[in-house]
Amino acid sequence: MPLRLKMLTEEQCQLFHEASVKILSETGVRFFKPEAVELLKSHGAKVDGNLVRIPASLVDKCLETCPREFTWKGFNGENSVTVRHEPLIQPAVGPVFIQDMENGRRPASAEDYKNVIKLMHALDVVDINGGLPVDISELPSEKRYLFMMESMLRHTDKPLLGFCLNEQLVRQTLGVFEAAAGDDDIWEKGHFLAAVCNPLSPLAVDEEAIDTVMEYAKRNQIVMSASCIMSGVSGPINSLGTAVLQNAEILIGVVLAQCVRPGCPVLYSVASTAGYMKDASFAGGSPDAMMINGPCIQTAMDLYNLPIRTMTGINSAKEADYQAGMETGMSVLLAALIGGGVCPQCMGVLDDIMTLSYEKLIMDRDTISRALHVRKGLDFSEEALSVDLISKVGPQGSYLTHPDTFKNFSKLWTPKYMNWESRANWEKNGSMSLLEKANKEYKRMLAESPETLLSPDQEKALSRAVEKFAI
């Protein structure tokens, strides 16, 4: 049975929800797009200019129409995943720099973007690919996301992340996917793309977020309704207060998506942390992040019964060092125990999501695998209790060569990259550090990665799609 860490009682979950709904219905939210204001008004919200007050009845109605789980399909219909509460690992979202041992830290290039997509496809712990694992500053926006979508479709068949953009660019990226699929009805045949949409904390939603929610919801694609608050900066200094505000802001996206298309898939997505009050900056490695996110995740799971997305793995380290491993490891383990769901930011990030490290991306594979193993909890079957086995082996017996050991030893967690060998064996094999091993491994994976996963006909369709939607 999976282990589960809870922060609230059942009664506290209800009070937590009521506090958030009170904010939505009394304080209200500013929407910076008239179409969204009119849509919400037509569903019973009270409107004063661009200030929208969302009643509890509308929140309840929209929570009822959200799917409790859904299937997220890969481009070719393979590698699909079921989205609810089980952990699903996705790439980082937002780093603008890339880093490795030889070249140090530098702005990410188009080639780096393709490399990261290939590595995410190859790594066994990664379930979802695409999106913005690194940004590409060398390309203008009208070409950047077109290139990214092309690279995603060519180099992975795992379920894909899209982008939160203005209406024109959202339609461009969705159009490329549709044209590459060669099916005008593709959106009615499943959920293929997801986009994360954040409000402007506190309590405002800009045009890009609104455009993305509306365009994705219209096509029955996945809306990741997120909130990214810094306590003491864009939210209350008290962790519980920021959690209440975060819950309210996530519900904003849920309500908007369901008003556009009832039943479209929504991921309840937490992404808040504490501010570093020394200079009022983002403190991704803070343990207070899970003190903020934990109550929200629990409420989403136990009260709303919604699929979840849990920000995890962020650290403030500048190098792939002890701090990076410790902060990432603690965050990943807490996220796995508190909830799970789709997990971003736990693959390769450094420097509060500003940088992606090729080596850390490899090393994080073991960190994540370890946390997921612990989350599984104990098998409490009669066989696992081992009473008959212990009786048969008896005092001073050995289990090493017993058939039960050979049958079950692979159930123990073993690292793929971390070194558990004796020091003598480690020295015999060249005394390679974990960082050096990871550097060697990511290069091997890229060297063995195919140039495309698409058939010749699919390549032609993709090229035509990119040409059609080029701006």
Side-chain angles (χ1 to χ4, degrees):
M1 181 178 179
L3 297 179
R4 179 89 189 278
L5 175 63
K6 295 191 177 186
M7 292 187 172
L8 303 177
T9 66
E10 186 175 333
E11 180 183 5
Q12 287 171 336
C13 267
Q14 184 62 43
L15 292 172
F16 181 81
H17 165 71
E18 291 171 3
S20 297
V21 171
K22 184 175 182 180
I23 291 167
L24 294 177
S25 62
E26 296 183 9
T27 305
V29 184
R30 295 205 179 275
F31 285 85
F32 293 104
K33 183 152 186 162
E35 291 89 336
V37 174
E38 289 304 311
L39 176 66
L40 293 166
K41 183 180 179 180
S42 72
H43 283 80
K46 296 178 181 179
V47 171
D48 180 8
N50 67 357
L51 183 67
V52 178
R53 293 182 173 88
I54 303 172
S57 58
L58 181 54
V59 174
D60 292 342
K61 179 183 177 181
C62 291
L63 286 171
E64 282 298 317
T65 59
C66 291
R68 303 308 168 207
E69 66 176 49
F70 56 86
T71 300
W72 190 347
K73 293 185 176 182
F75 178 62
N76 291 325
E78 301 174 2
N79 289 324
S80 298
V81 294
T82 299
V83 183
R84 190 166 182 265
H85 301 153
E86 285 299 309
L88 297 168
I89 306 303
Q90 70 156 78
V93 182
V96 294
F97 297 99
I98 197 83
Q99 184 167 312
D100 62 43
M101 287 178 64
E102 291 85 5
N103 302 298
R105 183 176 184 256
R106 61 195 185 279
S109 67
E111 189 66 24
D112 289 315
Y113 184 88
K114 288 195 293 186
N115 286 345
V116 174
I117 295 297
K118 290 178 180 180
L119 291 170
M120 293 294 179
H121 180 76
L123 284 162
D124 58 349
V125 297
V126 178
D127 305 285
I128 298 156
N129 206 343
L132 204 64
V134 289
D135 206 347
I136 310 172
S137 59
E138 67 187 20
L139 295 178
S141 59
E142 65 270 16
K143 295 183 179 180
R144 184 183 311 170
Y145 302 102
L146 197 64
F147 171 83
M148 290 179 176
M149 184 60 73
E150 180 183 10
S151 299
M152 287 156 44
L153 293 172
R154 180 169 287 126
H155 298 300
T156 186
D157 58 7
K158 294 180 179 180
L160 292 175
L161 294 155
F163 312 98
C164 182
L165 303 166
N166 64 46
E167 184 176 351
Q168 181 186 26
L169 291 177
V170 171
R171 290 180 177 178
Q172 179 199 53
T173 53
L174 292 172
V176 169
F177 187 98
E178 181 182 313
D183 188 346
D184 294 341
D185 296 321
I186 188 70
W187 307 123
E188 299 305 319
K189 296 179 179 178
H191 313 305
F192 294 91
L193 284 171
V196 57
C197 305
N198 294 312
L200 299 171
S201 301
L203 299 172
V205 190
D206 70 0
E207 191 167 352
E208 279 197 357
I210 293 169
D211 285 344
T212 303
V213 171
M214 296 182 79
E215 293 297 324
Y216 270 68
K218 284 176 189 174
R219 293 166 176 79
N220 203 27
Q221 298 308 294
I222 304 159
V223 174
M224 295 176 162
S225 181
S227 172
C228 186
I229 304 169
M230 289 189 287
S231 64
V233 180
S234 52
I237 193 66
N238 187 293
S239 293
L240 185 59
T242 292
V244 168
L245 178 59
Q246 174 170 242
N247 188 51
E249 292 191 340
I250 294 170
L251 291 174
I252 294 167
V254 172
V255 169
L256 181 59
Q258 296 306 304
C259 285
V260 172
R261 180 164 177 164
C264 81
V266 174
L267 264 174
Y268 181 105
S269 306
V270 297
S272 295
T273 189
Y276 180 44
M277 299 312 295
K278 188 174 181 180
D279 60 7
S281 62
F282 184 82
S286 171
D288 289 301
M290 279 302 165
M291 302 303 290
I292 295 166
N293 295 329
C296 296
I297 296 166
Q298 185 180 337
T299 301
M301 293 175 68
D302 296 349
L303 189 61
Y304 305 154
N305 193 18
L306 290 180
I308 58 172
R309 176 179 180 268
T310 307
M311 183 184 76
T312 178
I314 300 177
N315 62 86
S316 299
K318 310 308 180 281
E319 298 287 342
D321 56 13
Y322 173 80
Q323 179 183 341
M326 185 272 288
E327 289 181 352
T328 294
M330 284 194 67
S331 176
V332 169
L333 182 58
L334 279 171
L337 296 179
I338 290 171
V342 176
C343 297
Q345 316 299 22
C346 54
M347 293 297 298
V349 298
L350 291 171
D351 194 19
D352 296 318
I353 332 178
M354 290 298 294
T355 304
L356 189 84
S357 160
Y358 276 119
E359 290 87 8
K360 187 172 182 292
L361 194 153
I362 300 299
M363 295 189 289
D364 281 340
R365 182 268 173 202
D366 278 1
T367 302
I368 292 164
S369 173
R370 187 183 191 120
L372 297 183
H373 177 78
V374 172
R375 185 185 187 274
K376 291 177 184 176
L378 288 171
D379 168 16
F380 206 80
S381 64
E382 184 175 347
E383 181 184 2
L385 285 168
S386 304
V387 174
D388 291 343
L389 173 63
I390 294 168
S391 297
K392 287 178 183 178
V393 173
Q396 293 189 295
S398 173
Y399 295 91
L400 183 60
T401 58
H402 195 280
D404 183 74
T405 301
F406 284 97
K407 177 184 175 183
N408 292 300
F409 77 90
S410 61
K411 295 178 182 178
L412 298 176
W413 186 81
T414 305
K416 187 170 184 177
Y417 301 115
M418 295 176 183
N419 193 295
W420 282 9
E421 301 294 323
S422 68
R423 185 175 185 89
N425 282 342
W426 174 70
E427 291 176 346
K428 181 180 178 182
N429 291 324
S431 307
M432 188 179 294
S433 71
L434 181 57
L435 196 67
E436 291 169 327
K437 184 187 288 188
N439 179 270
K440 184 177 179 180
E441 176 67 1
Y442 95 76
K443 292 174 181 176
R444 181 195 67 79
M445 293 171 73
L446 288 178
E448 295 178 1
S449 178
E451 279 308 303
T452 181
L453 299 180
L454 300 177
S455 68
D457 287 344
Q458 288 175 319
E459 277 288 344
K460 290 177 183 177
L462 178 57
S463 295
R464 287 194 298 267
V466 171
E467 183 178 349
K468 177 181 178 181
F469 286 92
I471 298 174

